[in-house]
């Protein structure tokens, strides 16, 4: 059988049977022997086309279109986070989509930043196995993405202004065949600007078919005081209705933390950020660091970003899947129902076809508070 699983320490000694290719602005088709051909003032094949220039407002560009069978192993992108002081949410305004084989509906649809665990239109350092974000806005994805006949990746600019430069690379391998039971990568973003009392926030629903859930990114903006993290995550599997098969013990527990991530600093309770291979809390801010204005301060509702990768513990389903999380807090008076602003990206693999996603929110509704 072909070793289509790519590289890991456990498989480096095995012969690889793929044909390595890469697509970027220097070689937009990934064709063999056609990389780095564009000329610059330094001469032929001297960094003549390092990026896509001037992606117009409202324009959709195709980053990659690949004939299969094959597997995408790595995606890297970087872009500015603002074009003016007023237009500072580029990472929420750019929409990333991926299509497998002959799909007309995307299997991946997310604001660019959130897909790479950078919600709120802001960058942060992410140090995990499938996602890594390094200074400044070097965003990397290592989720493997197989395709039988074709892969197509697009970027839509819903930002008010042109994007002056977009740098990217898609690294993949071509194969003669892939296993018949191969599962396809999916990711979907959603948001509730204010959750409903006593109703769980839905991370993912309407998933039909066989597959496995592999990760959650959550961008939480707290709108009420006191501790926010008592809500339990629930996985409804294969016909579960009133009660799920898997129910967690709390929000900070799901993301691998405990006791509110807290330490004491000068008599104050302070949360601690962290990144690990499979789970993390990489972002916290209660300030608008992107804009300075002479007439208002930089206060904003507290923003927290979390990731949890189910790589060693995938959530397997045979027929259907629904994922929700409660909005429950606690204070001196005990547990209470909360209403917060929650956005999320769900990541999973499944057999195609998949149910079409609901329409993505307009960009103004995606902007952080």
């Amino acid at each position: 059988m072909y070793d289509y699983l790519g590289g890991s320490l456990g498989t480096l000694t095995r012969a690889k049977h793929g044909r390595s290719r890469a697509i970027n602005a220097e070689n937009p088709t990934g064709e063999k022997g056609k990389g780095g051909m564009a000329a610059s003032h330094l001469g032929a094949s001297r960094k003549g086309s390092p990026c896509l220039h001037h992606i117009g407002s409202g324009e959709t560009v195709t980053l990659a279109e690949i004939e299969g069978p094959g597997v995408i192993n790595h995606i890297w992108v970087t872009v500015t986070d603002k074009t003016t002081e007023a237009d500072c949410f580029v990472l929420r305004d750019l929409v990333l989509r991926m299509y497998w084989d002959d799909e007309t509906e995307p299997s991946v649809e997310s604001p660019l930043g959130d897909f790479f665990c950078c919600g709120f239109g802001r960058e942060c350092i992410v140090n995990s196995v499938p996602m890594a974000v390094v200074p400044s806005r070097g965003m990397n994805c290592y989720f493997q993405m197989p395709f039988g006949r074709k892969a197509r990746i697009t970027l839509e600019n819903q930002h008010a202004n042109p994007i002056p430069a977009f740098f990217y690379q898609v690294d993949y391998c071509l194969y003669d065949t892939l296993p018949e039971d191969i599962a396809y990568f999916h990711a979907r973003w959603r948001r509730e600007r204010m959750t409903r009392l006593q109703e769980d926030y839905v991370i993912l629903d309407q998933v039909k078919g066989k597959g496995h859930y592999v990760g959650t990114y959550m961008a939480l903006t707290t709108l009420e005081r006191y501790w926010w993290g008592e809500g339990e995550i629930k996985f409804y599997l294969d016909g579960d209705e009133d009660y799920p098969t898997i129910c967690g013990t709390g929000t900070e527990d799901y993301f691998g933390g405990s006791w509110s991530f807290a330490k004491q600093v000068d008599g104050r309770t302070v949360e601690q950020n962290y990144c690990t291979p499979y789970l993390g809390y990489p972002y916290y801010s209660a300030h608008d660091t992107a804009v300075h204005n002479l007439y208002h301060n930089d206060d904003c509702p507290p923003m927290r970003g979390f990731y949890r990768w189910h790589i060693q513990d995938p959530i397997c389903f045979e027929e259907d899947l629904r994922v929700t999380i409660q909005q429950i807090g606690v204070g001196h008076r005990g547990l209470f129902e909360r209403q917060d602003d929650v956005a999320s990206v769900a990541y999973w693999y499944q057999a195609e076809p998949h149910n079409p996603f609901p329409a993505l929110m307009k960009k103004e509704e995606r902007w952080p508070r």
Side-chain angles (χ1 to χ4, degrees):
M1 178 183 291
Y2 287 120
D3 182 8
Y4 64 92
L5 295 176
S8 70
L9 287 176
T11 63
L12 286 179
T13 59
R14 296 180 57 182
K16 309 300 177 187
H17 301 285
R19 300 179 296 280
S20 294
R21 302 287 187 268
I23 285 176
N24 53 30
E26 291 276 14
N27 187 1
T29 66
E31 187 176 352
K32 184 179 182 301
K34 299 294 184 180
M37 296 177 66
S40 73
H41 70 280
L42 299 177
S45 190
R46 305 300 291 175
K47 206 174 178 69
S49 183
C51 65
L52 300 181
H53 294 284
H54 196 86
I55 302 174
S57 178
E59 182 181 357
T60 297
V61 295
T62 297
L63 301 181
E65 190 160 4
I66 310 166
E67 298 295 326
V71 178
I72 294 170
N73 295 308
H74 172 236
I75 298 173
W76 165 81
V77 306
T78 189
V79 67
T80 186
D81 59 349
K82 64 180 180 180
T83 56
T84 72
E85 291 295 292
D87 303 300
C88 57
F89 300 132
V90 170
L91 298 184
R92 276 265 165 98
D93 290 346
L94 298 181
V95 179
L96 181 69
R97 297 184 178 93
M98 303 182 193
Y99 304 79
W100 312 128
D101 296 345
D102 301 315
E103 289 182 326
T104 57
E105 297 288 337
S107 287
V108 172
E109 185 175 55
S110 173
L112 183 73
D114 291 67
F115 180 80
F116 291 97
C117 301
C118 290
F120 314 105
R122 298 275 71 84
E123 67 188 87
C124 64
I125 301 300
V126 179
N127 185 8
S128 77
V129 169
M131 294 288 186
V133 182
V134 302
S136 292
R137 293 178 306 283
M139 297 179 280
N140 298 267
C141 173
Y142 286 93
F143 275 119
Q144 291 193 302
M145 305 175 188
F147 52 95
R149 293 183 297 279
K150 181 185 288 187
R152 182 163 61 97
I153 303 176
T154 68
L155 183 78
E156 182 182 359
N157 178 17
Q158 296 184 356
H159 191 61
N161 307 313
I163 300 301
F166 186 86
F167 298 81
Y168 76 102
Q169 182 155 319
V170 179
D171 297 302
Y172 61 99
C173 276
L174 299 174
Y175 297 91
D176 293 331
T177 61
L178 292 178
E180 291 184 1
D181 64 348
I182 201 79
Y184 284 69
F185 178 76
H186 293 72
R188 174 189 163 192
W189 182 89
R190 59 163 292 150
R191 180 188 190 183
E192 285 187 23
R193 291 181 58 86
M194 181 176 288
T195 56
R196 293 175 290 277
L197 277 174
Q198 297 184 303
E199 292 188 25
D200 297 352
Y201 171 80
V202 176
I203 296 171
L204 182 64
D205 62 356
Q206 299 300 315
V207 173
K208 303 293 183 183
K210 178 179 174 60
H212 47 285
Y213 187 86
V214 296
T216 308
Y217 170 70
M218 187 167 80
L220 170 69
T221 304
T222 50
L223 304 180
E224 300 190 32
R225 63 184 67 197
Y226 309 131
W227 172 243
W228 44 267
E230 293 303 313
E232 298 171 351
I233 194 165
K234 304 174 183 178
F235 292 91
Y236 294 82
L237 310 174
D238 302 332
D240 289 344
E241 293 185 1
D242 294 336
Y243 298 98
T245 295
I246 298 173
C247 183
T249 59
T251 304
E252 91 269 37
D253 308 345
Y254 174 66
F255 292 107
S258 59
W259 306 111
S260 73
F261 319 109
K263 65 178 179 180
Q264 296 299 306
V265 178
D266 297 329
R268 296 178 59 246
T269 301
V270 178
E271 297 169 40
Q272 302 175 90
N273 295 107
Y274 60 93
C275 285
T276 78
Y278 301 121
L279 43 86
Y281 174 14
Y283 185 78
Y284 170 79
S285 179
H287 300 281
D288 184 350
T289 58
V291 175
H292 175 70
N293 190 290
L294 297 177
Y295 303 105
H296 61 74
N297 63 25
D298 65 352
D299 292 353
C300 59
M303 300 172 289
R304 297 170 171 90
F306 308 89
Y307 64 84
R308 168 71 155 89
W309 308 127
H310 294 270
I311 294 176
Q312 298 296 332
D313 57 342
I315 307 298
C316 300
F317 56 95
E318 294 290 328
E319 300 174 1
D320 54 71
L321 172 68
R322 185 169 186 260
V323 185
T324 70
I325 192 166
Q326 301 164 328
Q327 298 304 293
I328 296 178
V330 70
H332 286 296
R333 295 184 180 91
L335 295 173
F336 65 97
E337 300 280 353
R338 296 178 60 94
Q339 290 179 277
D340 291 310
D341 181 341
V342 186
S344 60
V345 182
Y347 308 80
W348 76 100
Y349 288 85
Q350 72 163 90
E352 292 287 7
H354 71 278
N355 280 340
F357 301 162
L360 192 68
M361 279 183 167
K362 295 180 180 179
K363 66 175 183 180
E364 293 84 359
E365 296 173 332
R366 300 197 302 266
W367 291 345
R369 292 179 181 270

